[in-house]
Every structure is written in C-alpha cells, then in structure tokens.
Amino acid sequence: MKAYLKVIFAGILGLYLTGCASIMTAEQAAPNLSFQEDAGPLVVAVLDNRPYVLDNDKKPSFEGLIRSSFGIPYSYGTATGEAMSVYLGKRIEHGFKASGVDTVLYPTTVGMTKENLLQELSKGGKKSLVVSLSEWKYDHHPFSKASYYDVEVTVLDQQGNRLVDKQFTGKDGIPSGHIVNAMQQLYKARFEQFLSDAQIEQALRR
C-alpha cells in the first residue's frame, strides 16, 4: 500500500510541477551565441561521466530529484526521455547553428572514455567541442531547490590538438516556473556563460 501511495504522490507531484505548460523545444532552449562561420565547421559532443550513471544507479536520462515534504526523493529524467548527453547536445548544436556555424552532434555512449572520444574526434579533420559531465543534476525540495554542475569543456583544432580545457563547477538556484522549462532556461544560461569564456571563445574562433 505504501508503495502504491508513493507512485500516486510522484504522479501528482509531476503534474503539479510540469502542469499543462508547453515544453520548450531544443531550438527554443538553445544558447544564444555569436560565433558566425568563423567557428566552423564544428563537431559537438557531450560525454556523460556522472558516477551514478556510470555505475547504473541512475539512467542516462536522469536529470534530477524531486522530494516530497518528508524528504523522500523521486528520480526524474529529461522531458523527452533522451539521454542527458543527447538532450544537452541538441541544444548546444542548435545554438551554434542559429549563430551561422556548420555544426554536427557526435553521438557518445555511457562508458566511453574522454581520451577515446578525443582520439576519434581528432581523426575527423574538423574543430571539436567536447562537454564532459562529472555532475549535472537538480535537487528540488519544497523548502530548498538547487542545481549542481561540474563540467569540463575541451576544444580541439582541425588537427586534433587540444587548444583548451576549462573546468566549470557550481551550484545554481532553480528559477521559478514549471520545472522542465525552468531547468532548460538554466541550462541555456550556463552554456552561454561557458561558451563566452575568453579562452574557449578564442579557441573556437581559431
């Protein structure tokens, strides 16, 4: 009976947080960038190295936790059911495309090492942007809500040389509104911050 009530609670909570609002598309949630064609052609790859995904405790689509008033956590995935690497990758890809950059999203798999990914990308003859996730989740509680990230951004030139490795780590408050779109707005702002970093921007323009 308790298990049944938990399922009911999770369903009601999910409806409460998402409501009937229209979910933002990848194009709508894409970061606003200003690179134009000088950054392309470009290959974008997002690598999910979150430890709880690697050890199968959470699915690749895991996005965060929503807790009841008693603190009981319920896991939620991306709104589309896509792996987080694909979900974020599509938004970054669309951001560059909207800026005028010829961009493709390179598929990654759980368990793929960063070094193997960089070796594969170095053979393509294109500039590459790799976003590696060590942490990326939210924790939503009625009295406290936050989103955590630990990300490394790497840029390779056309010959596969590493131009920059930059780490970004932090904790953000979750904007008000429906959780799905609130998180997408937050991701949009994060990638605008990451990709406007002086070292990363310089590497992308080389």
Side-chain angles (χ1 to χ4, degrees):
M1 186 64 177
K2 287 184 178 180
Y4 176 75
L5 291 175
K6 286 182 180 180
V7 172
I8 294 295
F9 171 80
I12 293 173
L13 184 59
L15 287 172
Y16 170 74
L17 291 169
T18 58
C20 298
S22 176
I23 297 175
M24 295 173 68
T25 64
E27 291 86 352
Q28 292 170 328
N32 292 319
L33 307 175
S34 57
F35 287 97
Q36 289 77 47
E37 66 277 0
D38 56 356
L42 179 68
V43 178
V44 170
V46 178
L47 186 62
D48 194 345
N49 279 329
R50 295 178 293 175
Y52 39 82
V53 173
L54 294 179
D55 67 11
N56 296 313
D57 181 52
K58 301 295 182 186
K59 295 180 180 179
S61 61
F62 174 72
E63 186 172 14
L65 301 171
I66 297 178
R67 299 177 186 270
S68 71
S69 56
F70 299 104
I72 302 171
Y74 298 90
S75 295
Y76 282 80
T78 59
T80 60
E82 295 169 309
M84 183 59 72
S85 59
V86 176
Y87 190 73
L88 296 179
K90 285 183 176 180
R91 284 144 183 79
I92 299 170
E93 177 191 21
H94 282 299
F96 278 107
K97 283 183 174 179
S99 181
V101 179
D102 179 13
T103 310
V104 295
L105 179 61
Y106 189 90
T108 62
T109 57
V110 174
M112 176 184 286
T113 67
K114 183 175 180 179
E115 290 307 314
N116 285 342
L117 174 60
L118 294 180
Q119 286 180 7
E120 292 181 19
L121 293 175
S122 67
K123 301 172 185 176
K126 294 182 180 180
K127 194 177 299 180
S128 302
L129 172 74
V130 176
V131 177
S132 182
L133 311 177
S134 294
E135 180 62 284
W136 192 278
K137 71 176 181 182
Y138 64 77
D139 194 333
H140 191 292
H141 188 281
F143 306 106
S144 176
K145 50 187 180 179
S147 179
Y148 305 85
Y149 64 93
D150 184 356
V151 176
E152 185 172 51
V153 178
T154 301
V155 179
L156 304 180
D157 66 13
Q158 293 86 340
Q159 289 73 45
N161 300 308
R162 249 189 241 210
L163 300 180
V164 64
D165 285 293
K166 196 69 179 281
Q167 196 83 19
F168 298 92
T169 305
K171 170 185 174 183
D172 296 317
I174 298 176
S176 59
H178 301 293
I179 187 69
V180 174
N181 289 340
M183 294 312 303
Q184 291 202 76
Q185 291 283 9
L186 184 55
Y187 302 159
K188 178 178 182 291
R190 276 184 190 163
F191 285 115
E192 288 173 351
Q193 174 195 345
F194 299 164
L195 298 174
S196 65
D197 175 85
Q199 290 178 290
I200 293 173
E201 185 172 356
Q202 182 180 20
L204 288 168
R205 292 185 185 279
R206 285 182 57 176

